Amino acid sequence: MVELGKYAGTVLAAYGITILLVLGLVAISLRRGARVKRALEAQERRMAKNG
Amino acid sequence: MSIWEYANPKKFMQTSAWALPWVTGLAVLTLITGLVWGFFFTPDDFRMGSTVKIIYIHVPAAIMATGTWFMMLAASLIWLIRRHHVSVLAAKAAAPVGTTMTLIGLFTGAIWGQPMWGTWWAWDPRLTAFLILFLFYLGYMALWEAIEDPDTAADLTSVLCLVGSVFAIISRYAVLFWNQGLHQGSSLSMDAEEHVSDVYAWPLWVAIVGFGLLFVSLVLIRTRTEIRSRRLRALEARERMA
C-alpha cells in the first residue's frame, strides 16, 4: 500500500471528492439518457399504432 | 465527405453509436492507467510530500474545465453562424461536464492549497477567474432551463458563452498576464524551470488524455440524449396538433 504520510487525509479527500463527482455525473448522464430513450421509443410506438 | 454531415442528427446518431464504446473503453483504460500510475508508482515530492499526487486530478480537471468552455464556444459560434442544431445541443450537453470539472478543480485546489499555501482560498487572478468561470457555467445551464423556446435559448446561451470566454481565457492564462498571486505557472510548461519532473509528467499526460476521452464520451452520451429529447418534444407537439 502506498505511504501518504501526514498528508494522507488531504490526498484521499481530493481523490474521494473527484471520484464522487465524476461517478455522480456519469450516473446522472446515463440515467437521463435511458429515461429519454425509453420515452421516445414509447412515443414512436404510440404514434405508429395510431397512424 | 464534409464535417458538416455530422450536423445532420441522424448521421450524428449513427456515427456516435459506433464511436461511443471505443471512446468510453479507451477513456476508462487511460484514466485507470494514469491515476494508478500516478497514485501508486510515483515518489513523493521533496517539498510537497505526497500531496503531489493531487496533480493527477487537479491539472487534468482544470484543463478540461477551460477546454470544455472553448469547445462550447466553438459549438455556439457554429450555431450562431450556420444554425446547426447538433452543435448547440453539443454545447448544452457539455456544460454539466465542464461544471463538474471546474468544481473538481476548485475543490482539489482548495484541499491542496491549504497545506501548501496555508489557506484554502486566495483572491489570486487565476483562482478568481476560475470561480467566475464556474458561475458562468451555472448561469449558462440556468439560462437553458429558463427559456421555453429552444432556438431562443440556443441564441441567448451562445451569446453568454461568447462573453464567458473572457474568463475561460483569463483562468487559463492569468499566470502569464499577471506576475502575482499564489498559483504557480503551468505544470507542463515548455520552460524547464516550471515544468514538473518527467517522473510526474508522464502519468500526468496519461491522466490528461484519460480526462479528455472521458469528456468526449460524456458529451457524446449527453448530446445523443439532447437529440432524442428534442425529437420527443417535436413528436409530442405533432401528436397534440393532430
Side-chain angles (χ1 to χ4, degrees), chain B residues 62-240:
Chain B
I63 290 173
M64 292 320 302
T66 49
T68 300
W69 195 273
F70 292 134
M71 172 263 163
M72 287 163 56
L73 171 65
S76 299
L77 284 173
I78 291 171
W79 163 255
L80 289 173
I81 297 165
R82 297 190 65 131
R83 313 303 281 180
H84 288 316
H85 285 93
V86 172
S87 71
V88 82
L89 291 179
K92 183 184 181 189
V97 185
T99 310
T100 307
M101 293 298 162
T102 313
L103 206 53
I104 291 171
L106 287 168
F107 270 133
T108 55
I111 290 170
W112 201 0
Q114 209 287 326
M116 294 300 109
W117 299 337
T119 181
W120 299 95
W121 179 262
W123 294 102
D124 157 294
R126 185 178 248 189
L127 273 64
T128 308
F130 215 71
L131 179 64
I132 295 172
L133 180 64
F134 176 67
L135 298 177
F136 263 94
Y137 269 119
L138 295 183
Y140 179 90
M141 292 188 298
L143 197 53
W144 264 111
E145 295 305 317
I147 300 167
E148 186 71 23
D149 178 57
D151 282 3
T152 308
D155 286 340
L156 294 178
T157 52
S158 296
V159 172
L160 181 70
C161 191
L162 291 178
V163 178
S165 300
V166 174
F167 293 96
I169 292 168
I170 291 174
S171 61
R172 179 163 283 187
Y173 300 109
V175 285
L176 303 177
F177 300 154
W178 292 286
N179 192 22
Q180 61 176 30
L182 282 173
H183 203 288
Q184 77 275 22
S186 169
S187 304
L188 296 168
S189 154
M190 299 300 280
D191 183 343
E193 296 244 328
E194 285 185 3
H195 195 293
V196 294
S197 155
D198 281 353
V199 73
Y200 305 116
W202 284 112
L204 177 56
W205 275 116
V206 178
I208 290 168
V209 171
F211 269 76
L213 288 168
L214 174 70
F215 165 77
V216 175
S217 171
L218 283 169
V219 170
L220 285 180
I221 290 169
R222 298 182 64 90
T223 306
R224 288 169 62 79
T225 303
E226 291 301 334
I227 290 170
R228 284 188 175 123
S229 176
R230 185 67 70 95
R231 178 164 164 75
L232 177 62
R233 283 177 65 169
L235 290 181
E236 284 171 347
R238 197 188 298 172
E239 194 182 41
R240 272 197 303 273

Side-chain angles (χ1 to χ4, degrees), chain A residues 1-48 50, chain B residues 31 35 38-42 44 47-57 92 96-97 100-101 103-104 107-108 111-112 115-116 211 214 218 221-222 224-229 231-232 235-236 238-239:
Chain A
M1 189 61 193
V2 65
E3 195 55 60
L4 297 172
K6 63 176 176 175
Y7 297 123
T10 303
V11 177
L12 293 176
Y15 273 80
I17 285 171
T18 302
I19 290 168
L20 211 68
L21 286 172
V22 169
L23 288 182
L25 177 68
V26 169
I28 288 169
S29 303
L30 291 178
R31 213 171 61 179
R32 178 164 179 256
R35 200 180 62 228
V36 170
K37 190 177 178 205
R38 271 198 310 272
L40 178 61
E41 284 167 353
Q43 180 72 23
E44 282 174 337
R45 269 198 308 274
R46 192 165 55 243
M47 289 183 79
N50 297 340
Chain B
L31 259 182
L35 295 182
F39 192 88
F40 291 102
F41 301 106
T42 57
D44 289 355
R47 276 175 304 190
M48 292 189 268
S50 62
T51 64
V52 72
K53 294 180 192 300
I54 297 174
I55 200 171
Y56 307 111
I57 45 177
K92 183 184 181 189
V97 185
T100 307
M101 293 298 162
L103 206 53
I104 291 171
F107 270 133
T108 55
I111 290 170
W112 201 0
M116 294 300 109
F211 269 76
L214 174 70
L218 283 169
I221 290 169
R222 298 182 64 90
R224 288 169 62 79
T225 303
E226 291 301 334
I227 290 170
R228 284 188 175 123
S229 176
R231 178 164 164 75
L232 177 62
L235 290 181
E236 284 171 347
R238 197 188 298 172
E239 194 182 41

